[in-house]
Amino acid sequence: MTLALLLRRVDWLLVAAVLLLLMIGQRAVRAATVNDLLGDPGFFDRRHIIYIVAGLGFAAVAMVIDPRIYRRLFWFIYGSTIGLLIIVLGFSAARGSQRWIPLPFFTLQPSELGKVTMIVCLSIIIADCVRRGIRGWGMATRAGLLMLPPFALVFIQPDLGTSIVYIAITLTVLVVAGLPGRSVAVLGGVAVALVVLVLGILPSIGLPLLRPYQAERITAFLDPQGGSDAAYQAQQSMIAIGSGGLAGRGGGVSQTAGSFLPEHHTDFVFAVVGENRGFVGSAIVVLLYLLIFWRVGRMIPRARNLEESFIAAGVFGLLLTQVAINIGMNLGIAPTTGIPLPFMTYGGSNTITNLTAVGLVLAVGARIVREQALVPGWQERPRSRLADPLEAPSDAV
Amino acid sequence: MSTPSVDEPTIVQPPPPEQPLVTAEVFDRDGAARRVAVLGGVAIVIVVILILRLWSLQVLDVQTYRAQANSNGLRSIDVPASRGQILDAQGKLLVGSRPSNAVAIDPTRFPDLLTLCGRDVAGPVDGRTSNERALAISAALIEAARFSKARRVARIAAIQRELDGTEQVRAWAGCTKQYPQLAELAQVSGITVVELEDAIHTAAIRAPFDSIVLAKDVDRNVLFYLKERAAQYPGVRIVEGTARAYRTSRGTQGKTYPLAPHLWGELAEVSAEQIKDQVTYRNAEPGDLVGQRGVERYFDRYLRGTSGLLQRRVNAFGDPVGAIVRSQAARPGDNIRLTIDAGIQSAAETALREAIAYAKTHGHPAAEGGAIIAMDPRTGAIRAMASNPGFDPAILAGPGGQKYWNSLVRNTKASPLLDRAMTGLYPAGSTFKPVTAIASVEGRVAKSDSVIQCTPEVTIDGQTYRNFESGINEPMNLVQAMTASCDTYFYELGKRLYEATPKSGQFEPQPLWARRLGFGASTGIDIGGDAAGNVPDAAYKKRRFGDDRVHNRWTSGDSILQSIGQGDLEVTPLQIARLYALIANGGTLVQPHVGASVYGQDGTMREKLESAPGEKVAVDPYILATIRKGLEGVTQDPDGTAYTAFKGFPILVAGKTGTAEKLGKRDFAWFAGYAPATNPTLVVVCVIEQGGFGGVTAAPAVRQVMAQAFGVQEATIGQISSAEKAGVYFGPALGTDPAQEVQAQDSSSSTQPATTTQGSTR
């Protein structure tokens, strides 16, 4: 379709919400990092803006590209993701725990890019499953096989948080694709069992799979008064947020800008908003995310084909998981993991990843062809009557 | 839904080509949107939970969290490791650490302060910033100590000019104006605003990791004052650290003096250049204090431990509250045991001081500096190394250190920073005669028992050379010539050596043997920094005189002068000590060293530092035995030049006096001896600048050191001097033979440059 048509179809509400969050995030990062590098208060700010611009560029490109092309590029996308993850492991072996590949201008974190590429690959595979009638455990198994290599490579890095996001993306797409509720519950139970296994049982018989600091982060969440690093950060975050009060303490931050909260520009950037803008500001941020969830969720049943529908589902899961865990972590109700807050956390890879995901979703949303007969069987007028006034009355039964 | 009529076929729209038909039985259509609705519900639930939690934290519990925020904070403090101690051979403490509190500020509490005070402007003269110049000057000062006195004076004058220059370009002046509480703080701590700004400037250039120290060794009252008023001085910290403390010794009349100040070296923050030197400064990190010279530098990697880390909760004012969050213990440095013996060192410094004072009041008013070295001739272990004038390292390590350092550097007349024992360059005088004897016998121009007439003077190649003792005219063998220090005997040897110089110019015998016996090069002492000295030879003369046909050759005069340790020969007392150790131990050139071993804090020995065994020099042992006999005669034979000085000493000391001439100055007094002569365990060398006769001025000092080393109780030079002043002692002046003194005064006036011979050393 032409560019003009595309621009008219784009979901500008979604774009506005994302831009607003980007702005709020930029101000938060700037306020927080002002004292980080003596003599250069704008160091992080400048880089953050560059990352945002780069991410918007990627988003624009992703929006313009027709998502049907990705099917042809499936192996290239999948292969290069796995390849980059393996390279990172190579770097990690050489230099100790490391999740990124140093490039001339910035560091590339393949596990972040993998989130987006895996959404695309997963959508293609699961769409095939649905079309061929494979469902239930067959579909789940295929999804598992696809996701196992990247998941394992990320888990070994070690990057617990990102591997959880991979699981969440997979589950979301499977749910949307029709995995029965019972299976979901079983999978959920298995996940919990795994957590108990990895955290509790295996270490006690001498096979710790998690690094000590990772385990400590999770258990610190359960015992916030402990003296560990992770518990300390969670406490500091709550203090910062809590002290923000109703309307915040204004721009001159003391808690988050000082050395009190070390990750104030990354994991804990929400705490900066909490301290500076108080309840009002924090709630606005949360509601903006809710707006984004709604806009993305709307697209899932309306996408013009299965792949795009699942892409939107994957992005939904991606954003929801990151927001839930990151903000939960800031508020002390989720364990500390290195999951970024979309559009707000400082960092090249995650900014580009999340904005690219938005670009994909905008691509999906812009190509919803409203006058076209909705795909039979898929776009049924639902009995629960979630009527879309723009939906053409369906003559097909 | 419209019911289809019976006869009309339903027309099903074909699906668009790319999309395969999804048949209803395969796919759960109702669930699709329902599932999305479920996901939406999950999202809403999550959001509600988050908002409720926000409400709880920010509205319901806001007071609690505000209170916590105010009493909140975490500070990382580097816990400096305690530096190892420096002990003497018996384990006595020579250098240790003492607590030292400093007033410091936390730069993050004063935004823009570092940027303003870090301002530096390239100097107008050479385009270097003032900091670069300061670093260049420090390096140059350390270098200057190695030069001979004349060059050193010129160098230090040049440095002085630069020093004066840097103070004018203070681009950071006034940088603390926007923080008036800093000016108050300066006043309270007892420093001026200029010093305050300089301290911040120096720190700003080094990119401080932690607090900036403003004033060290602050009075306790000041500390209490600041602690009580913490609210008034936010961002001010009291840093508890350590500084070095040095052993002192008791001298005459109960005054205390610093012990061996030249050995230690100062501590300063490691520079970027020094960090690169991973051998000397292994694992040093920015901000660490490291030794800059001497023992502190060359054993820095043992002495400096590893810093620890302390993270404490602090409140908004920086005071610690609550628990230590994380701590990592510092690993203390190891102790170094030296070969130095504190008792002998103290005796050496006292003897040196007293000998100089005595010389000043007994006919040698120009006597100023000097050095004494005591060394074990079997191993090269240095038992004492004293240099006068000295300085007080405790002041350098304290608050007024920088000013004191500047004043020491500017004192070019006395050069107190110079370690004369290792880097002082002197004419050797008669102490060099054993080298001539060895060169002659090994060069086959004489034998150990060769007899030569000792005349009052001799003319060689048109030049007349005089003996110090104008009244002697008798045949002597080597032993006698050594004992009486007959110059003409050695002139003859020098002449023969000159005639034996090969025409091919491959070598000159005198300098060749001088080099073999350790002169003209650094001794390789473990703490480094010793001077190489100068052994003139044909190449040297060419270098020095270039195209001057008259002077640029090796002549008989050069050989003759060098045979009695004069001419352009320059030696250090350390090199002389090594020569006499070789004579005492029968032919081994030992490796002088100061470090003995490394001990952990728990008392276990970690490493032995004693260096390589000496190098055996191929010298006929018979010539050494003959020389030794001659040296014994110096103190035992009434003709010996140090007979009076060692009269009545219960231990047999053998040695050689020297009275070296230097143009434009009075004679330099030398004595190099070892004891007990039968089985020597100690070599002691003393030189006193412009002190006159070796046997009169230097020999009693050596006697005093040996008395301490061998446990002989007798009167010190200082005691005798006080007794004289008090009028209760009328005996002979130490080491003097009145008849010789009169004669010497005659001959010293006759050896003035009028005859252009530098002769007559004794």
Side-chain angles (χ1 to χ4, degrees):
Chain A
M1 54 166 58
T2 66
L3 191 62
L5 196 59
L6 189 71
L7 287 177
R8 264 198 293 143
R9 292 261 171 92
V10 156
D11 188 344
W12 289 109
L13 198 52
L14 178 59
V15 170
V18 170
L19 287 178
L20 211 54
L21 284 172
L22 284 172
M23 249 178 46
I24 296 175
Q26 185 266 332
R27 295 176 94 122
V29 166
R30 182 171 62 173
T33 60
V34 119
N35 281 334
D36 276 1
L37 212 61
L38 289 174
D40 192 353
F43 178 79
F44 287 99
D45 188 29
R46 287 197 302 273
R47 296 174 82 103
H48 191 43
I49 291 179
I50 292 176
Y51 295 147
I52 291 177
V53 169
L56 289 173
F58 274 82
V61 167
M63 184 173 75
V64 166
I65 292 179
D66 190 326
R68 291 181 296 203
I69 291 180
Y70 297 132
R71 173 172 284 274
R72 267 179 262 170
L73 298 172
F74 174 85
W75 283 110
F76 173 72
I77 296 174
Y78 189 67
S80 47
T81 307
I82 300 293
L84 283 173
L85 286 172
I86 291 178
I87 291 177
V88 143
L89 276 184
F91 270 91
S92 165
R95 298 197 213 180
S97 165
Q98 188 165 280
R99 306 173 181 183
W100 45 82
I101 299 171
L103 290 183
F105 184 62
F106 81 123
T107 53
L108 171 70
Q109 223 177 325
S111 53
E112 287 286 332
L113 297 190
K115 294 175 184 171
V116 167
T117 54
M118 281 305 124
I119 290 178
V120 170
C121 295
L122 193 62
S123 70
I124 294 171
I125 294 293
I126 300 297
D128 282 345
C129 284
V130 171
R131 291 211 185 90
R132 297 209 300 228
I134 303 169
R135 55 177 176 153
W137 289 108
M139 188 165 66
T141 313
R142 276 180 176 69
L145 282 176
L146 177 80
M147 294 301 291
L148 188 63
F151 169 82
L153 285 170
V154 166
F155 187 76
I156 299 179
Q157 274 185 1
D159 191 345
L160 189 59
T162 311
S163 42
I164 289 179
V165 173
Y166 280 32
I167 295 180
I169 292 172
T170 317
L171 279 179
T172 316
V173 173
L174 285 175
V175 163
V176 165
L179 198 66
R182 226 173 317 159
S183 310
V184 173
V186 168
L187 280 177
V190 167
V192 168
L194 270 176
V195 163
V196 170
L197 188 74
V198 165
L199 266 185
I201 302 180
L202 281 182
S204 62
I205 62 170
L207 279 179
L209 275 181
L210 291 179
R211 297 279 172 86
Y213 75 89
Q214 290 174 310
E216 179 201 65
R217 280 174 149 180
I218 295 178
T219 49
F221 152 66
L222 297 170
D223 171 29
Q225 293 312 313
S228 63
D229 246 0
Y232 170 73
Q233 286 203 53
Q235 287 169 34
Q236 288 301 314
S237 171
M238 286 194 283
I239 291 174
I241 294 176
S243 64
L246 194 59
R249 295 176 107 184
V253 294
S254 64
Q255 291 295 301
T256 50
S259 51
F260 300 143
L261 202 57
E263 300 287 330
H264 48 212
H265 56 311
T266 53
D267 293 349
F268 288 93
V269 68
F270 184 78
V272 179
V273 176
E275 184 187 17
N276 286 5
R277 310 292 169 200
F279 179 77
V280 171
S282 316
I284 287 179
V285 166
V286 173
L287 291 174
L288 279 172
Y289 280 115
L290 185 62
L291 178 64
I292 293 176
F293 299 149
W294 172 49
R295 299 310 291 174
V296 173
R298 270 189 83 245
M299 295 176 193
I300 300 177
R302 290 175 177 75
R304 84 185 151 161
N305 60 31
L306 287 173
E307 285 85 351
E308 295 180 18
S309 173
F310 297 147
I311 286 178
V315 171
F316 183 93
L318 170 72
L319 294 177
L320 180 62
T321 313
Q322 291 181 115
V323 167
I325 296 185
N326 183 292
I327 298 189
M329 167 175 93
N330 274 251
L331 295 174
I333 54 178
T336 310
T337 48
I339 290 179
L341 188 61
F343 321 125
M344 292 183 66
T345 296
Y346 169 88
S349 296
N350 78 68
T351 308
I352 290 177
T353 299
N354 285 306
L355 285 174
T356 309
V358 168
L360 281 176
V361 148
L362 289 173
V364 168
R367 289 168 173 82
I368 295 175
V369 181
R370 296 191 181 84
E371 305 81 22
Q372 178 191 323
L374 305 168
V375 173
W378 176 242
Q379 298 295 359
E380 272 288 311
R381 184 187 296 275
R383 294 199 185 120
S384 50
R385 297 191 189 274
L386 289 176
D388 182 345
L390 294 178
E391 205 181 293
S394 165
D395 285 312
V397 172
Chain B
M1 224 167 16
S2 54
T3 41
S5 62
V6 176
D7 36 349
E8 269 182 23
T10 42
I11 299 173
V12 176
Q13 299 266 8
E18 314 92 277
Q19 285 150 17
L21 192 64
V22 179
T23 52
E25 66 268 30
V26 176
F27 198 70
D28 176 8
R29 12 178 182 154
D30 287 327
R34 191 189 306 154
R35 287 193 291 277
V36 173
V38 166
L39 287 178
V42 169
I44 290 180
V45 165
I46 289 178
V47 164
V48 165
I49 292 177
L50 293 179
I51 294 195
L52 283 178
R53 176 69 172 169
L54 275 174
W55 182 264
S56 156
L57 289 182
Q58 291 177 313
V59 177
L60 298 181
D61 290 335
V62 60
Q63 292 308 323
T64 321
Y65 286 112
R66 283 247 167 98
Q68 282 199 33
N70 282 333
S71 73
N72 196 15
L74 195 72
R75 271 198 68 235
S76 260
I77 306 172
D78 244 1
V79 177
S82 61
R83 198 172 169 84
Q85 298 169 327
I86 302 177
L87 311 170
D88 88 332
Q90 272 87 42
K92 283 199 213 126
L93 184 63
L94 296 173
V95 179
S97 294
R98 61 174 171 82
S100 158
N101 292 321
V103 175
I105 53 170
D106 178 357
T108 60
R109 296 299 197 108
F110 301 93
D112 289 342
L113 184 68
L114 288 179
T115 327
L116 284 174
C117 289
R119 268 198 311 235
D120 202 358
V121 172
V125 177
D126 54 10
R128 287 187 288 182
T129 62
S130 63
N131 188 57
E132 287 165 354
R133 287 168 99 186
L135 288 174
I137 286 168
S138 309
L141 281 172
I142 293 172
E143 277 299 300
R146 297 169 175 245
F147 297 152
S148 69
K149 190 135 185 207
R151 274 151 70 194
R152 208 183 331 119
V153 168
R155 191 96 180 87
I156 290 182
I159 292 170
Q160 228 169 289
R161 283 195 294 276
E162 288 205 61
L163 263 177
D164 291 334
T166 53
E167 289 177 39
Q168 289 163 6
V169 187
R170 288 184 76 243
W172 58 91
C175 62
T176 57
K177 278 217 188 77
Q178 56 169 311
Y179 297 106
Q181 66 267 38
L182 284 180
E184 269 178 55
L185 181 65
Q187 196 187 25
V188 166
S189 317
I191 57 173
T192 65
V193 175
V194 167
E195 287 168 342
L196 170 79
E197 289 172 352
D198 285 346
I200 301 178
H201 170 73
T202 319
I205 289 181
R206 295 191 133 122
F209 284 79
D210 201 359
S211 323
I212 298 178
V213 169
L214 299 179
K216 287 196 268 195
D217 278 335
V218 177
D219 195 57
R220 296 187 69 193
N221 296 327
V222 173
L223 298 180
F224 288 138
Y225 181 89
L226 288 173
K227 279 205 162 137
E228 281 164 12
R229 287 162 186 69
Q232 214 176 311
Y233 296 99
V236 175
R237 308 244 179 284
I238 308 293
V239 175
E240 288 163 8
T242 55
R244 284 307 221 183
Y246 300 91
R247 187 188 192 88
T248 53
S249 69
R250 275 278 167 79
T252 38
Q253 293 143 9
K255 280 180 69 177
T256 52
Y257 296 91
L259 195 67
H262 299 88
L263 271 182
W264 315 128
E266 325 74 55
L267 296 181
E269 262 194 44
V270 62
S271 73
E273 280 306 305
Q274 288 170 332
I275 285 195
K276 291 187 195 155
D277 181 356
Q278 275 297 305
V279 174
T280 317
Y281 298 115
R282 192 172 54 200
N283 296 331
E285 295 186 4
D288 281 350
L289 283 182
V290 299
Q292 302 290 317
R293 289 185 308 157
V295 172
E296 296 269 23
R297 176 185 160 116
Y298 286 91
F299 301 116
D300 184 78
R301 61 191 182 284
Y302 302 108
L303 291 168
R304 176 175 36 91
T306 324
S307 306
L309 189 71
L310 197 63
Q311 273 190 335
R312 303 208 64 164
R313 288 268 162 74
V314 296
N315 64 14
F317 304 121
D319 293 326
V321 305
I324 292 176
V325 171
R326 187 162 62 130
S327 80
Q328 190 183 308
R331 189 187 67 80
D334 292 329
N335 298 335
I336 295 280
R337 228 183 229 210
L338 302 178
T339 56
I340 302 274
D341 180 310
I344 302 181
Q345 177 75 32
S346 171
E349 296 192 355
T350 311
L352 192 56
R353 221 176 296 123
E354 290 176 352
I356 293 175
Y358 192 81
K360 272 210 185 112
T361 54
H362 287 74
H364 303 285
E368 263 313 334
I372 291 186
I373 293 192
M375 184 167 87
D376 185 329
R378 304 164 292 180
T379 60
I382 295 188
R383 298 279 172 232
M385 199 149 74
S387 173
N388 191 300
F391 55 93
D392 191 348
I395 300 182
L396 276 185
Q402 187 62 43
K403 273 216 203 87
Y404 186 57
W405 171 262
N406 290 343
S407 75
L408 291 174
V409 164
R410 291 200 166 106
N411 187 351
T412 53
K413 191 166 153 304
S415 302
L417 288 171
L418 181 70
D419 184 345
R420 286 160 162 81
M422 280 200 318
T423 57
L425 293 169
Y426 301 106
S430 298
T431 54
F432 204 70
K433 284 175 179 166
V435 176
T436 311
I438 293 172
S440 309
V441 172
E442 294 289 329
R444 308 263 183 277
V445 302
K447 294 219 189 81
S448 314
D449 49 8
S450 294
V451 173
I452 299 174
Q453 188 77 9
C454 179
T455 56
E457 66 178 44
V458 68
T459 306
I460 299 169
D461 284 346
Q463 195 71 276
T464 306
Y465 304 93
R466 293 209 163 82
N467 187 13
F468 202 78
E469 294 278 335
S470 41
I472 298 181
N473 194 340
E474 61 190 61
M476 286 189 180
N477 62 18
L478 180 60
V479 173
Q480 293 163 317
M482 205 62 92
T483 298
S485 199
C486 170
D487 297 326
T488 30
Y489 187 97
F490 289 91
Y491 294 153
E492 174 63 26
L493 291 184
K495 166 173 157 252
R496 294 188 195 179
L497 284 169
Y498 175 69
E499 285 157 3
T501 310
K503 293 284 177 282
S504 59
Q506 264 176 331
F507 62 89
E508 296 78 45
Q510 282 278 44
L512 178 71
W513 274 101
R515 295 221 168 84
R516 282 198 185 137
L517 295 169
F519 294 95
S522 155
T523 59
I525 188 173
D526 51 1
I527 55 173
D530 64 327
N534 186 33
V535 174
D537 56 6
Y540 165 79
K541 294 213 77 180
K542 233 204 178 67
R543 262 199 319 270
R544 180 158 167 215
F545 291 103
D547 291 326
D548 180 350
R549 290 286 193 79
V550 177
H551 292 113
N552 68 358
R553 292 166 301 123
W554 183 254
T555 64
S556 63
D558 294 318
S559 181
I560 287 168
L561 286 179
Q562 196 169 112
S563 68
I564 55 163
Q566 298 280 181
D568 285 346
L569 182 70
E570 279 179 336
V571 304
T572 64
L574 184 60
Q575 290 167 334
I576 294 284
R578 215 153 68 129
L579 170 69
Y580 282 80
L582 181 139
I583 297 173
N585 67 31
T588 305
L589 206 59
V590 292
Q591 174 61 61
H593 56 277
V594 161
S597 42
V598 181
Y599 276 79
Q601 288 296 331
D602 52 4
T604 57
M605 175 150 93
R606 296 262 167 90
E607 202 177 314
K608 230 168 143 32
L609 293 169
E610 312 231 38
S611 36
E615 169 202 326
K616 194 116 180 75
V617 180
V619 179
D620 181 3
Y622 190 66
I623 175 68
L624 291 180
T626 314
I627 292 175
R628 281 201 290 272
K629 243 207 232 135
L631 297 182
E632 282 169 35
V634 167
T635 58
Q636 303 304 306
D637 190 324
D639 286 334
T641 46
Y643 178 67
T644 328
F646 280 92
K647 204 146 168 226
F649 197 63
I651 313 240
L652 180 58
V653 175
K656 185 78 192 73
T657 58
T659 308
E661 289 190 7
K662 196 167 164 120
L663 208 55
K665 297 210 190 295
R666 304 283 200 99
D667 296 340
F668 285 53
W670 281 93
F671 187 81
Y674 55 86
T678 45
N679 192 6
T681 58
L682 193 68
V683 165
V684 182
V685 173
C686 172
V687 61
I688 295 183
E689 297 171 12
Q690 305 194 73
F693 301 125
V696 172
T697 309
V702 171
R703 173 174 176 155
Q704 192 165 318
V705 175
M706 294 210 171
Q708 164 72 23
F710 294 106
V712 176
Q713 300 278 11
E714 57 177 31
T716 66
I717 301 173
Q719 287 168 336
I720 293 177
S721 176
S722 322
E724 272 183 10
K725 284 203 199 109
V728 278
Y729 177 76
F730 297 103
L734 296 158
T736 329
D737 182 346
Q740 288 171 354
E741 197 170 37
V742 167
Q743 218 169 8
Q745 277 174 356
D746 284 342
S747 55
S748 72
S749 60
S750 71
T751 56
Q752 284 316 304
T755 54
T756 68
T757 57
Q758 291 188 38
S760 315
T761 65
R762 189 157 161 80

